[in-house]
Amino acid sequence: MNELMNDVTAFIYKEADMLDFKEYQEWLNLWDADGIYVVPIDPEAEDFRNTLNYAYDKADMRKLRVNRLTSGEAVSTQTTPKTVRAPTRFRILSSDSDRVTVRCAQHISENRHGVLRTYPADVTYTLRRDGDDFRIVEKVVRLLNSDNHLSSIGYIL
Amino acid sequence: MTHMDNVCRSKRAAEVDVSGLVLEDRVHTSLYSDPALFEAELDKVFNNTWVWVAHESEVPESGSYKTAHIGRQPVIVSRDRKGEIHVLLNRCRHRAATVCEGKRGKVKSFVCPYHGWGYALDGELRAVPKPEEYEGVFDKKDFPLVTVRHEIYNGMIFATMKADMMPLADFLGGAKKWIDLFMKQSGGYPMKVLGDHRFRFPGNWKIQLENTTDAYHFPVVHKSFVSSLDEQTSKVFDFLDGDGFVEDLGNGHSVMVMIPALVDLEENLDAPIPDRFQDFAKELEREGRSDQEIRRLVRAVGGTGFNVNLFPNVACSMAFFRVLRPIAVEETEIHHVALGGEGAPAAFNQMRMRLHEHFQGPMGFGTPDDAEAWERVQKGSYAGLDEEWILINRGQQHLKTSQDGNVAGAVCSETGMRAAYRQYKAMMTAKA
Ligand code: FES
Ligand SMILES: [Fe+2]
């Protein structure tokens, strides 16, 4: 179990680092082909497909999202040059020979127009084992304030 | 209305005079930043007209409620046991606590959290704890939650604080035809709210009001959105040189037609299925839907090609409702309300939600760039001394008369902004 925890946390730290340092192509490669990235509005939502979310990205939308962040065409992505995120409080919810489900807390800070903002969130990952590594099958980012009004988020949570 | 209310209102209102600040071709920069003006707007605009509060589908059954605002005032939209809709001030008659929180939900009654007064869904005061001490003091029937007058047009619920406000249908006037066209996008099923995105930006509410009738910004601000579309769809969104128009519908309302081919979604059902909806059409076919239904749903799923801007707080914008809520002189909350069909095929509502997520909301490919531009407008508007103006004169010399006999300009003209500000000026300068 300890070893699994080490492997899983190392994977999630790596993902966080890639997003903070904008290694988006590498980040896309962490995903299972059928993986889904979700940022729900309703904290209770489980059936994301049949619910309105902030983001519900399959592979093609993830790629388009990355293009938008890197193309320089979207003015809102230029005003948040840097994020700092800290995943922590890891707990493995289930694991078998194929998959691991892990939940953690994540604090992301952004600095937009000189305003420092933090978005705390619970993040649940479903990871598929891939040799010594993992692929992300599902990543659900439940923002603490998802049910209230947000401000523009010009990066990947 | 109490005597004190009247005193406060007239005092605040007396402080501002916008007659020299709102001209036909420009508005003064202080309209975005003067706190006294903002206070006057709450009184003279938001408390003085029809304000959109909900869509009927948001209170689908007895006990359903939704919270909303008329300007700064919190209200509840509820459906009582008999199925009647009510709009109530969200304010306990005892010492003012809100009796209902949360966006929407289902309740049996509204119980005040402070001392426990209980109100029925229609606002009636039913029970007060320890009633003995009220003996000879008051009669419960005189202290219901205050009812706000409401009227409904094609599912859209509007409320007004103005007792003698004209009927909603008269107020909407020329906009009704466009609202009816807009509602065709639920694909033959009853229109249903599927959820909403809510966000705030640090800027005045009128910056957002202008934006829903501003086609001029689209290719600039939304370049990254257009880049994310397939070639065929990006051509559809390349509308500035097309035959679109902006039409002044009266009472501050306007319509901006960007994509004339998507005005009437019940027409052209034989048109070829666009590339981006091919998979969707195949999914419906696998479900055994008839060819006719597939064509109707495909035609409706992407929404209309126009925005109806309804003064002051809501727009029927292509495929969603845009609702604005003034928070402070330089803070505005926006709701982008996703729409679909009640009982429509799951694939239809899923596609509608995915399209909404693609553009709208704080993580969409469009909205954040709009919000960035609006924030920059607010910041820039502080530059200069007192002689700076916001220009709304685009297309002023190329006006035509529309089929309905209204003033109309090119799709990227500022005709809709001029319409809104004309109404704004009339309301702000009206004698109390
Ligand atoms: S304030 Fe509501 S019961 Fe007292
Ligand atoms: Fe826009």
Side-chain angles (χ1 to χ4, degrees):
Chain A
M1 199 64 184
N2 262 341
E3 197 184 329
L4 178 61
M5 183 62 110
N6 278 343
D7 292 350
V8 163
T9 50
F11 179 82
I12 292 172
Y13 283 144
K14 180 173 71 180
E15 192 226 0
D17 187 82
M18 284 177 179
L19 288 174
D20 277 346
F21 289 90
K22 302 184 195 296
E23 292 169 17
Y24 293 122
Q25 292 309 325
E26 291 79 355
W27 180 75
L28 288 173
N29 292 335
L30 297 180
W31 285 82
D32 189 88
D34 297 322
I36 298 180
Y37 167 78
V38 192
V39 183
I41 301 170
D42 177 357
E44 310 287 312
E46 291 292 342
D47 181 6
F48 306 119
R49 196 170 168 218
N50 289 302
T51 312
L52 184 73
N53 307 286
Y54 290 117
Y56 178 93
D57 293 359
K58 295 184 175 175
D60 51 346
M61 273 299 278
R62 280 197 299 278
K63 212 167 150 215
L64 292 173
R65 194 175 290 280
V66 164
N67 289 348
R68 185 176 129 80
L69 292 179
T70 53
S71 70
E73 289 176 348
V75 62
S76 65
T77 64
Q78 309 300 307
T79 50
T80 318
K82 184 80 183 79
T83 53
V84 175
R85 69 192 70 206
T88 182
R89 200 204 65 201
F90 295 95
R91 183 176 175 194
I92 291 171
L93 298 180
S94 70
S95 76
D96 61 28
S97 58
D98 182 41
R99 284 171 187 225
V100 186
T101 303
V102 56
R103 184 167 67 204
C104 65
Q106 175 179 260
H107 293 266
I108 299 191
S109 297
E110 61 159 48
N111 182 17
R112 221 176 121 251
H113 289 302
V115 180
L116 187 64
R117 262 195 207 89
T118 296
Y119 287 101
D122 291 318
V123 187
T124 306
Y125 291 84
T126 303
L127 305 175
R128 184 173 58 74
R129 295 175 196 265
D130 182 28
D132 289 343
D133 206 356
F134 298 104
R135 289 280 170 269
I136 307 171
V137 173
E138 189 181 75
K139 176 182 177 183
V140 182
V141 183
R142 289 187 176 86
L143 292 168
L144 187 56
N145 58 343
S146 68
D147 209 19
N148 300 106
H149 57 86
L150 304 181
S151 299
S152 297
I153 295 174
Y155 45 89
I156 292 170
L157 288 169
Chain B
M1 177 141 321
T2 67
H3 173 68
M4 258 326 276
D5 281 346
N6 278 328
V7 171
C8 294
R9 286 184 65 173
S10 46
K11 187 167 155 279
R12 281 204 294 263
E15 285 167 9
V16 298
D17 177 11
V18 302
S19 49
L21 303 178
V22 182
L23 308 182
E24 180 60 19
D25 63 343
R26 72 191 102 157
V27 299
H28 192 259
T29 191
S30 62
L31 258 69
Y32 293 158
S33 50
D34 181 344
L37 257 175
F38 181 78
E39 290 299 320
E41 287 165 354
L42 293 177
D43 279 343
K44 295 186 154 230
V45 176
F46 288 89
N47 288 348
N48 236 337
T49 189
W50 288 109
V51 170
W52 186 87
V53 288
H55 184 264
E56 270 181 318
S57 66
E58 292 179 279
V59 283
E61 50 198 6
S62 293
S64 301
Y65 73 85
K66 177 203 176 184
T67 56
H69 288 83
I70 298 176
R72 189 187 279 151
Q73 308 187 46
V75 299
I76 309 166
V77 184
S78 68
R79 199 184 279 271
D80 71 16
R81 281 166 199 279
K82 288 181 235 130
E84 298 289 323
I85 289 174
H86 301 269
V87 180
L88 307 164
L89 291 188
N90 191 357
R91 173 194 176 117
C92 180
R93 294 300 300 278
H94 178 218
R95 294 231 295 277
T98 58
V99 298
C100 177
E101 289 289 320
K103 289 181 194 170
R104 51 178 76 81
K106 245 194 117 174
V107 287
K108 290 207 172 67
S109 61
F110 300 113
V111 177
C112 180
Y114 200 179
H115 313 94
W117 286 22
Y119 301 89
L121 293 159
D122 62 0
E124 186 193 321
L125 178 58
R126 282 286 174 76
V128 302
K130 297 208 151 289
E132 318 81 76
E133 292 297 319
Y134 280 120
E135 257 167 45
V137 176
F138 81 169
D139 189 342
K140 285 208 300 285
K141 76 172 187 342
D142 297 330
F143 287 85
L145 296 176
V146 173
T147 291
V148 183
R149 182 179 153 206
H150 79 271
E151 287 181 21
I152 302 176
Y153 183 77
N154 208 336
M156 300 178 81
I157 309 172
F158 293 77
T160 182
M161 303 299 296
K162 184 172 150 80
D164 61 348
M165 185 61 197
M166 69 175 91
L168 177 64
D170 296 351
F171 170 73
L172 293 174
K176 283 186 295 184
K177 154 183 158 182
W178 292 97
I179 294 172
D180 295 346
L181 286 164
F182 181 84
M183 296 300 170
K184 291 187 180 187
Q185 63 185 292
S186 49
Y189 297 86
M191 180 69 87
K192 181 190 178 188
V193 167
L194 300 176
D196 59 25
H197 287 141
R198 299 183 173 199
F199 64 99
R200 290 188 182 184
F201 77 97
N204 187 267
W205 64 277
K206 296 185 289 302
I207 297 171
Q208 158 68 94
L209 179 73
E210 294 161 13
N211 180 261
T212 314
T213 174
D214 184 321
Y216 197 28
H217 82 286
F218 200 94
V220 182
V221 167
H222 300 306
K223 197 166 194 292
S224 83
F225 170 73
V226 174
S227 296
S228 74
L229 301 171
D230 63 87
E231 204 182 317
Q232 194 185 55
T233 313
S234 66
K235 285 211 180 86
V236 174
F237 278 91
D238 183 14
F239 46 68
L240 283 198
D241 298 321
D243 297 330
F245 56 88
V246 184
E247 187 174 326
D248 181 341
L249 302 173
N251 291 339
H253 316 315
S254 61
V255 64
M256 171 172 77
V257 175
M258 291 159 280
I259 308 166
L262 295 175
V263 163
D264 189 336
L265 298 177
E266 282 168 4
E267 283 178 357
N268 288 331
L269 292 179
D270 297 334
I273 290 174
D275 293 348
R276 69 168 169 162
F277 299 137
Q278 288 289 351
D279 289 346
F280 170 57
K282 288 205 185 83
E283 190 171 348
L284 294 172
E285 203 180 311
R286 275 197 301 276
E287 285 178 10
R289 306 274 166 185
S290 71
D291 184 58
Q292 200 191 352
E293 167 145 72
I294 292 172
R295 289 186 169 277
R296 192 175 67 227
L297 291 168
V298 165
R299 176 96 174 127
V301 74
T304 69
F306 59 85
N307 290 356
V308 198
N309 216 22
L310 301 174
F311 189 87
N313 83 319
V314 67
C316 301
S317 181
M318 298 189 94
F320 66 100
F321 295 142
R322 185 275 295 148
V323 187
L324 70 81
R325 177 184 158 202
I327 303 293
V329 64
E330 44 184 278
E331 184 159 27
T332 305
E333 182 167 316
I334 317 280
H335 301 176
H336 285 166
V337 183
L339 304 168
E342 173 71 50
F348 178 77
N349 286 337
Q350 285 162 5
M351 179 59 97
R352 301 267 316 173
M353 290 189 283
R354 300 295 91 82
L355 292 172
H356 193 84
E357 290 155 358
H358 188 166
F359 191 95
Q360 316 300 338
M363 292 189 75
F365 288 21
T367 301
D369 299 320
D370 280 320
E372 174 69 24
W374 306 336
E375 184 170 347
R376 300 275 281 269
V377 168
Q378 185 74 27
K379 279 174 106 173
S381 75
Y382 293 112
L385 298 174
D386 209 27
E387 71 285 7
E388 300 300 334
W389 294 80
I390 305 294
L391 296 185
I392 52 167
N393 54 1
R394 198 173 150 77
Q396 222 182 355
Q397 294 307 325
H398 291 155
L399 297 173
K400 302 172 291 214
T401 303
S402 75
Q403 274 176 358
D404 293 336
N406 298 318
V407 170
V411 64
C412 60
S413 68
E414 285 157 352
T415 303
M417 290 170 227
R418 291 192 288 274
Y421 277 115
R422 211 175 298 125
Q423 175 76 2
Y424 173 85
K425 185 176 185 176
M427 296 185 79
M428 290 292 284
T429 55
K431 296 276 172 291

